[in-house]
Amino acid sequence: MELSNKPIKALCYFDDEKGRDVEILLPLIYFAEKYLNIDIENAFIFDIDKIRRRKPDLIIIANTIGSKLHHQISEYAFSNGVKVFALISEGNFRTNGTFNYWGYNTNKVYYQEYICHWSERTKEYLSNELPEIKSKMVLTGATGFDRYKIYKFESKESFLKRYQLGEYKKVITYAGWAFGKIHNPTGLMEVRNTHGKNAERRIKWMHEQQGLIENILEETVVNNPDILFVLKRHPNEIHPHLTQEDNNEMIKLSKYSNVLYLRNEEDVHTLINVSDIWTAFESTTTIEAWMMKDIPTIFINPEIEFVRDDNYKGTVIVSDAKSFKKKIDEFYQTRTVKEMNLPEKVKAREEIIKNVIGFADGYNHIRAGYYLAKVVNNIQPNINRKVKFNLLYFLRYVLMHLGDIFYVKSIFIKLPRFKKTLWIFERYKLRNIESLKQEYFVYLDKFYKKNNLSDKIKTEPFWKQILSN
C-alpha cells in the first residue's frame, strides 16, 4: 500500500470531548497524523459551518447515521466535494432484519467513501442488503477496542482515592441498559421506530424489567455493605439536549452509601479496570471486559428469553438476587466464578469477539488507516475549493459563540428554551481531546515500537496478513 505524502487538511468531528466516539477516533487520528501526513483539526459536531470556513480536503467522523448532525455533516461535506471517511460507532448490529441501518440518514444514501464494518458478519449482511454499494463495504474491525491491547488504565486504588472511597476493597460495576429511553419523548420515539407494531408490547416489557432489575440490585446493595457498587448509566438512554432527571433501573439506589452512581463522568475502560466483577442487564461492554482482563461477567436477567445479541452465551446469567449473591460470594472466596471457565463459555467468548469486533490484536485502527490512505491518495489537496453557504449552519455557529458569552449554567438550566443547549456549551470547546491525544499517543508510540509497525506498514506482506485474517 502506498502511504500518502500529500499535505491533506482534515476536520475530525466529535460530539463530546471524551467517551465512545473519542475512543473510536483517536487511534485512527494517530495513524493519520503519523503516517498519512494529514493535518487534523478538531471540530464540534454542532459547528457544521466549519466546513465552509476551513474548506478541508477531508472529513473524519465516527459515524454518519447516529444523529441528525452526523448525517448533516456527511451530506454537506459530500455535496461540496469534500471526501468523508467514517467509522461505525455501533458496529455490533443485528443481522436478522430488525436493525435500521440507515439511522438518521433519511436520504438513504451513504456519503462516506467506505462503510467500515466491525465484523465479516455485518459486512456480508449489509453487502447483501445493499448490493449496489457492495464495493464500499470493507472490514476494519472495531477501532475503539484496540485500546485494550495498547493503553494503560487507572488502578483501583487511584480511582477510589479520587472519590474518597478508599475504605472499600471490593468493587462491582453494573453497566446500565437503556431503560431510560421509555421515560423521555425522544427515546420513546426511537423504541417505537425500532419495534414497529410490537412497540407497545416492548415498552410494557421494558417497564416490567426495569422494576425487576432495580429490586435485584437494591437487595444486593443492601446485603453487601462492604462492597462498593458502581452503577453506570447507559450513554444513550437520553439525548444530551434533554436535561430531565434520570429515570432508570439504578437512580433510586444512589441514596445508599455503598453506591457510586455515574452518568458520563468516567470512561468504561476505567471502570472495568477498577472492578472485580462486571455486571449488566445486557451490554457489549462485557466484550470490552473480556478484552481487558480475566474478569467474571454476569448478566442479571429475570427473563432470559428475549431478542438479544449473543453476548449472553459467553457470560454467567443470574435471574434473582439470591443467585447473584452466590456468584459474588463464590468470587470473593475463590477469586473466580467457575461457570465462566466452562469450555462452552470460553469458546463462545472467542466466537463472539470475532463476530462482534472482528479482531483482537490492536490493529483495527491500522486496518481503517489502510482504507483512509486509499481515500487520501484520491484527493487533490490545496485546490481552490468553494463551499456553498448554508444559512442554518452559519446561524448555529454564530449563536453558539454568542451564547457562550452569556452562558451561565445555573441560569440556562432554569430556562426552558435554553436548557436544551447546555450540552453544546458544556462540550463545544473539546478541551480534553488534546490532553487525551498526548496521553494515548505515548502508548501508541510504544505499541508501534514493540511490534516494529513503523517498518511493517511499508511492506505488502504485512497488509496482506492483517487484511485477510
Side-chain angles (χ1 to χ4, degrees):
M1 184 200 74
E2 181 183 350
L3 297 178
S4 173
N5 289 316
K6 298 178 183 178
I8 299 296
K9 294 192 305 179
L11 289 180
C12 185
Y13 272 94
F14 297 92
D15 64 354
D16 203 347
E17 62 181 9
K18 61 181 180 179
R20 180 193 62 183
D21 286 0
V22 174
E23 302 298 339
I24 286 170
L25 288 165
L26 285 185
L28 178 62
I29 289 173
Y30 173 88
F31 187 87
E33 291 185 343
K34 293 270 186 175
Y35 299 103
L36 300 182
N37 197 32
I38 301 178
D39 179 14
I40 297 178
E41 182 179 356
N42 301 332
F44 183 54
I45 195 169
F46 193 73
D47 186 11
I48 303 177
D49 184 67
K50 196 166 191 175
I51 297 173
R52 179 189 62 83
R53 303 194 311 275
R54 294 291 188 267
K55 298 177 176 57
D57 303 302
L58 173 71
I59 295 296
I60 301 173
I61 194 167
N63 74 81
T64 61
I65 65 169
S67 71
K68 287 183 179 179
L69 294 172
H70 285 92
H71 171 58
Q72 288 171 345
I73 288 168
S74 61
E75 182 184 34
Y76 186 54
F78 178 85
S79 66
N80 285 285
V82 179
K83 298 288 188 183
V84 178
F85 188 84
L87 299 172
I88 296 182
S89 297
E90 290 284 359
N92 182 31
F93 57 83
R94 296 190 182 99
T95 53
N96 60 3
T98 62
F99 175 71
N100 177 14
Y101 46 77
W102 293 113
Y104 282 87
N105 184 346
T106 53
N107 297 347
K108 295 187 177 181
V109 175
Y110 281 110
Y111 295 108
Q112 65 259 49
E113 296 299 298
Y114 291 102
I115 300 170
C116 298
H117 288 276
W118 286 12
S119 67
E120 186 64 42
R121 172 182 62 85
T122 62
K123 176 176 174 282
E124 181 180 357
Y125 169 75
L126 208 57
S127 295
N128 291 331
E129 287 284 298
L130 303 169
E132 66 277 13
I133 56 170
K134 185 177 180 179
S135 61
K136 283 180 175 277
M137 310 286 181
V138 296
L139 175 62
T140 63
T143 62
F145 285 78
D146 284 355
R147 68 192 190 272
Y148 296 110
K149 297 296 182 182
I150 301 173
Y151 304 165
K152 290 184 178 179
F153 304 101
E154 185 175 17
S155 68
K156 181 195 293 187
E157 293 72 23
S158 172
F159 175 84
L160 294 173
K161 184 177 180 180
R162 276 201 293 118
Y163 283 95
Q164 299 181 328
L165 293 166
E167 69 271 21
Y168 292 99
K169 306 302 178 187
K170 304 173 183 178
V171 178
I172 295 175
T173 296
Y174 172 85
W177 203 61
F179 289 110
K181 283 183 179 291
I182 58 177
H183 301 289
N184 68 81
T186 306
L188 268 175
M189 180 183 68
E190 290 177 0
V191 174
R192 290 194 169 104
N193 288 342
T194 300
H195 295 278
K197 63 181 181 180
N198 296 318
E200 296 310 314
R201 186 189 309 166
R202 179 71 170 186
I203 292 166
K204 181 176 183 290
W205 177 84
M206 289 175 70
H207 276 287
E208 293 169 350
Q209 295 300 306
Q210 177 180 330
L212 293 171
I213 297 297
E214 180 183 306
N215 291 339
I216 292 171
L217 287 174
E218 182 167 29
E219 186 174 337
T220 305
V221 166
V222 170
N223 290 335
N224 294 275
D226 62 324
I227 299 175
L228 176 67
F229 289 87
V230 180
L231 308 181
K232 174 71 166 68
R233 187 182 77 173
H234 191 283
N236 294 329
E237 76 169 36
I238 188 168
H239 282 230
H241 70 276
L242 300 176
T243 56
Q244 67 189 62
E245 293 184 3
D246 292 353
N247 188 341
N248 53 40
E249 73 274 36
M250 301 166 285
I251 186 62
K252 293 180 182 178
L253 310 185
S254 59
K255 63 185 179 183
Y256 292 105
S257 60
N258 61 328
V259 165
L260 175 62
Y261 178 71
L262 298 173
R263 293 177 175 86
N264 302 312
E265 297 89 344
E266 300 290 343
D267 291 305
V268 168
H269 54 240
T270 298
L271 299 182
I272 293 172
N273 203 46
V274 306
S275 298
D276 303 317
I277 299 173
W278 190 259
T279 68
F281 175 73
E282 186 194 23
S283 176
T284 55
T285 58
T286 54
I287 303 174
E288 298 179 63
W290 303 336
M291 291 278 289
M292 179 179 282
K293 63 180 185 178
D294 183 15
I295 182 175
T297 54
I298 300 175
F299 280 168
I300 306 171
N301 296 146
E303 177 184 326
I304 296 176
E305 298 297 329
F306 61 94
V307 177
R308 63 197 306 186
D309 297 322
D310 285 341
N311 301 349
Y312 73 95
K313 296 179 181 178
T315 195
V316 175
I317 298 176
V318 298
S319 58
D320 52 45
K322 184 178 180 181
S323 55
F324 189 25
K325 181 165 175 41
K326 283 184 179 179
K327 299 301 181 185
I328 293 172
D329 292 343
E330 179 188 358
F331 175 80
Y332 285 115
Q333 289 167 10
T334 67
R335 304 308 296 183
T336 189
V337 175
K338 288 183 179 180
E339 190 178 342
M340 282 291 294
N341 301 318
L342 293 175
E344 60 267 31
K345 294 286 185 186
V346 174
K347 183 178 180 181
R349 290 195 291 275
E350 292 174 353
E351 292 178 352
I352 290 165
I353 287 173
K354 181 178 180 181
N355 289 333
V356 172
I357 67 169
F359 309 92
D361 54 10
Y363 291 177
N364 291 331
H365 72 284
I366 301 177
R367 294 181 179 92
Y370 173 86
Y371 294 102
L372 177 58
K374 283 182 169 292
V375 174
V376 168
N377 286 332
N378 288 321
I379 291 176
Q380 181 182 350
N382 300 321
I383 64 173
N384 187 20
R385 190 182 310 282
K386 294 182 179 179
V387 178
K388 296 176 184 176
F389 179 80
N390 183 293
L391 180 60
L392 172 63
Y393 300 158
F394 176 72
L395 288 176
R396 285 179 184 170
Y397 161 68
V398 172
L399 292 173
M400 183 173 70
H401 286 275
L402 284 177
D404 186 52
I405 297 172
F406 303 100
Y407 177 65
V408 178
K409 184 176 181 179
S410 59
I411 297 175
F412 271 47
I413 201 169
K414 296 176 182 177
L415 304 174
R417 296 182 67 87
F418 288 89
K419 67 179 181 180
K420 291 183 179 182
T421 65
L422 288 178
W423 73 279
I424 298 172
F425 299 115
E426 291 293 303
R427 300 181 182 184
Y428 89 93
K429 293 181 181 178
L430 300 172
R431 296 184 182 92
N432 195 46
I433 299 293
E434 290 304 316
S435 61
L436 279 179
K437 284 178 66 174
Q438 291 178 18
E439 177 187 353
Y440 290 172
F441 282 18
V442 171
Y443 300 138
L444 283 155
D445 282 339
K446 292 179 179 177
F447 181 74
Y448 274 61
K449 184 177 181 180
K450 177 183 176 182
N451 294 281
N452 194 28
L453 291 173
S454 296
D455 291 330
K456 287 181 178 178
I457 62 174
K458 299 173 184 176
T459 67
E460 287 302 321
F462 171 75
W463 292 109
K464 186 176 180 179
Q465 177 189 356
I466 71 166
L467 294 173
S468 62
N469 279 353

